[in-house]
Amino acid sequence: MVQVGILQEFRDLGLNLVCGEEGLEREIRCVDLNRPGLEVAGCFEFFDEERIQIFGGGEMRYINTHQDSPALRETIHRIFQSRVPCVIITNDEETPDFLIEAGCQKKMPVFRTAISTTRLYKRLFESLEHFFCPTTL
């Protein structure tokens, strides 16, 4: 079993925990990652709560522009109360207070990094991949 806390050991990701320390024992169940652009906009038809959620520039601009929207706040709560292992915000994007409050309330680890979304995707996938490779005897 791989826990979210392992991410803090991957120094090249430059992850800083913003909130949700109580959730660092959440299990990472798959190596696949997700950019939740559709979900942030309210469409959950294809949402996979097994995946780490990467909030890049597009997601964060939408969130910061619509942060007073009750629908957006409900959407963020829906993501945060699911089985998602954690949320990572890239590009050192500003994290609105309501997102931090939701992370604290739902014990959702929220990390922030200055690394671009594309670079984080590559590095994080490569860092986690060996935990999920099939083994042979």
Side-chain angles (χ1 to χ4, degrees):
M1 177 170 75
V2 181
Q3 295 178 329
V4 171
I6 193 86
L7 299 178
Q8 294 177 307
E9 295 179 23
F10 303 145
R11 301 282 180 228
D12 64 326
L13 300 178
L15 297 175
N16 297 305
L17 185 64
V18 175
C19 64
E21 185 175 352
E22 303 91 344
L24 290 177
E25 293 182 3
R26 286 177 178 240
E27 186 178 349
I28 299 173
R29 292 173 293 282
C30 73
V31 68
D32 297 323
L33 309 170
N34 187 53
R35 297 257 333 251
L38 286 173
E39 293 81 7
V40 167
C43 177
F44 282 83
E45 186 176 347
F46 304 104
F47 182 57
D48 186 349
E49 64 181 23
E50 301 278 312
R51 297 177 178 195
I52 293 172
Q53 304 296 305
I54 310 295
F55 286 40
E59 290 86 0
M60 291 310 296
R61 280 194 245 343
Y62 184 88
I63 289 169
N64 284 317
T65 300
H66 297 90
Q67 63 182 298
D68 294 328
S69 163
L72 174 64
R73 289 172 182 254
E74 183 178 318
T75 295
I76 294 299
H77 279 278
R78 184 172 175 183
I79 292 170
F80 283 20
Q81 72 186 10
S82 71
R83 293 179 52 196
V84 164
C86 67
V87 169
I88 301 175
I89 299 169
T90 61
N91 302 302
D92 218 13
E93 293 282 343
E94 184 178 332
T95 310
D97 291 340
F98 88 91
L99 201 142
I100 295 169
E101 290 166 11
C104 290
Q105 182 183 29
K106 302 296 182 185
K107 298 180 175 136
M108 172 64 67
V110 176
F111 295 94
R112 201 163 104 187
T113 182
I115 297 173
S116 74
T117 307
T118 303
R119 290 188 198 285
L120 177 80
Y121 238 88
K122 180 182 182 308
R123 290 179 188 175
L124 182 55
F125 183 87
E126 289 172 350
S127 297
L128 290 173
E129 186 177 32
H130 76 276
F131 291 108
F132 295 96
C133 290
T135 57
T136 58
L137 297 176

